[in-house]
Amino acid sequence: MRVSLSSFEPDESVQEITNTLKREGGVILQNLAPPDLLDSVYEEIQENVPEAAQKSSTHLWPDGNRTVGALAAVSSIFAEELLIHPKVLEIVDAMLLPKRTMALQPIDDASNSPQADRPTVGDGLWAITENEQKSSQLVWQVSDPDRGPNCDHYNLGASVMLEVREGNENQVLHRENAIYQPYIGYIPKMREFVVSVMWAATDFSEENGATRLVPGSHTWSEDRIAKENEIAQAVMPKGSAVMWLSRTLHGAGKSRLSERRTGFFHSFIPDWLRQEENQYLSIPPEIAEKLSDRAKQVIGYSSSNSLGWVKGRAKENLLVEGSGAPI
Ligand SMILES: O=C(O)CCC(=O)C(=O)O
Ligand SMILES: [Fe+2]
């Protein structure tokens, strides 16, 4: 018998959802957004991106399919309603354990963070010591991976429309960590560092190419090959979303129908990791400044005390003047 993915209704607890995501590597969030909202995002994309620019001809997305990048730039509804959906951010907060949680607190009030009660030294993780000549030295503590903080905040990795059209083949099963891992190696018990979300902008069915995912594969050894009966499909109605982890095997499904299968994909990564899609060129300041502060922060227009700063700009919103740079 084929495996399936666990599925949750919007009112189910984030704790329950994240426990399952950690255990199984993927979860479906049923009916998370109204179906017409997904239609509105699709219409906005169609208005802003010429058809020719949606054509794709790559190994992962061969001829016949459609792809669009920089979704947060071409659809403000996507940026405000899907990218920073509160339930999604709550789940990502629990998985990436940022110092500044993104879902619950006002953007400028880090002291409300549920992690604020963590035992701290210095700025949370460091202390200044001195030698016998009174020369000072920073000493870092490593945070507990299960409690964090595992990053200051998190950012968007990529935001793309992925549209499967009739006649494609099953996409090669892969792990999202593949863009980093070849260079850092496989580190057992590595802290989670990529959380992916795929919104169903049409119904996702077995016949139209719903995302294939392998529950449990985030704990497998790298060389274990998934058997066909170990592969589930994210069958879900329009407005639902499927989320998965950096080590979960997955890929787009094969379509046998003439209808399109449209998904809006975005990923979240710690602020200390390079974003997969270059967000500063994809969503330049003149577009980003029209978005909410939370959307700007997720896109990357925010810095920690030590990464991504611009002298003379505000840490929470790098598009305005302020302080926070270390120099
Ligand atoms: O479109 C899908 O269902 C998944 C696509 C995917 O994983 C990718 O292109 O990296
Ligand atoms: Fe992928």
Side-chain angles (χ1 to χ4, degrees):
M1 211 180 73
R2 237 174 207 289
V3 290
S4 59
L5 286 161
S6 296
S7 188
F8 293 88
E9 293 298 324
D11 57 353
E12 285 180 88
S13 88
V14 168
Q15 181 79 47
E16 190 69 29
I17 297 170
T18 53
N19 286 346
T20 309
L21 184 54
K22 283 180 195 165
R23 202 175 51 244
E24 299 178 5
V27 288
I28 292 177
L29 306 168
Q30 294 278 349
N31 306 312
L32 195 56
D36 3 336
L37 188 109
L38 279 291
D39 291 339
S40 306
V41 173
Y42 190 73
E43 279 160 28
E44 232 183 341
I45 296 168
Q46 297 312 311
E47 274 161 29
N48 290 326
V49 185
E51 201 182 313
Q54 301 187 25
K55 297 218 162 89
S56 178
S57 185
T58 66
H59 173 64
L60 283 175
W61 289 94
D63 285 339
N65 299 299
R66 302 270 168 102
T67 57
V68 173
L71 277 196
V74 294
S75 168
S76 58
I77 307 174
F78 170 83
E80 301 298 354
E81 306 291 337
L82 300 182
L83 176 66
I84 57 170
H85 190 288
K87 191 94 178 183
V88 169
L89 294 186
E90 271 188 77
I91 296 168
V92 182
D93 277 345
M95 299 308 304
L96 297 181
L97 296 172
K99 193 163 158 189
R100 292 192 271 150
T101 52
M102 315 269 291
L104 302 173
Q105 78 200 85
I107 210 151
D108 55 359
D109 186 6
S111 61
N112 283 339
S113 160
Q115 276 128 40
D117 61 351
R118 186 185 299 110
T120 58
V121 185
D123 186 24
L125 295 170
W126 54 269
I128 294 179
T129 52
E130 289 178 343
N131 69 7
E132 72 288 356
Q133 294 292 330
K134 300 266 178 235
S135 142
S136 60
Q137 180 177 327
L138 271 183
V139 178
W140 289 91
Q141 287 199 326
V142 178
S143 66
D144 171 355
D146 295 328
R147 295 189 71 202
N150 293 349
C151 52
D152 177 82
H153 59 283
Y154 50 82
N155 290 137
L156 173 57
S159 64
V160 295
M161 182 188 91
L162 299 174
E163 191 167 277
V164 170
R165 294 289 183 113
E166 188 177 15
N168 78 321
E169 291 300 323
N170 282 327
Q171 192 185 44
V172 59
L173 288 178
H174 59 278
R175 295 184 160 101
E176 232 66 285
N177 69 2
I179 52 178
Y180 305 107
Q181 193 153 307
Y183 311 110
I184 55 175
Y186 169 56
I187 306 172
K189 300 201 172 145
M190 175 84 183
R191 300 173 192 203
E192 185 49 67
F193 64 96
V194 189
V195 178
S196 298
V197 188
M198 170 69 97
W199 291 89
T202 56
D203 291 344
F204 271 34
S205 68
E206 277 179 26
E207 296 75 29
N208 76 1
T211 309
R212 301 160 82 226
L213 288 110
V214 185
S217 57
H218 60 309
T219 64
W220 291 7
S221 65
E222 209 67 28
D223 53 1
R224 176 166 163 189
I225 308 299
K227 299 194 177 74
E228 216 37 51
N229 66 0
E230 292 174 315
I231 306 172
Q233 264 193 296
V235 171
M236 53 186 181
K238 179 167 32 168
S240 310
V242 56
M243 294 182 71
W244 66 90
L245 304 180
S246 57
R247 297 203 74 255
T248 308
L249 282 168
H250 69 280
K254 169 192 174 81
S255 172
R256 295 186 284 278
L257 303 182
S258 57
E259 67 188 38
R260 62 183 170 89
R261 187 233 68 174
T262 308
F264 302 141
F265 170 92
H266 53 114
S267 53
F268 294 100
I269 57 163
D271 65 301
W272 46 260
L273 202 55
R274 175 137 202 217
Q275 292 164 284
E276 179 183 3
E277 181 184 38
N278 188 317
Q279 297 303 322
Y280 308 104
L281 291 177
S282 301
I283 309 163
E286 59 276 18
I287 296 180
E289 69 191 2
K290 299 194 186 97
L291 299 175
S292 64
D293 285 352
R294 181 63 79 214
K296 283 192 210 98
Q297 186 184 45
V298 167
I299 288 164
Y301 288 99
S302 169
S303 76
S304 72
N305 287 334
S306 43
L307 284 177
W309 48 268
V310 180
K311 191 177 174 190
R313 299 292 181 93
K315 202 169 75 137
E316 300 295 344
N317 177 1
L318 293 168
L319 296 177
V320 301
E321 282 180 19
S323 60
I327 59 161

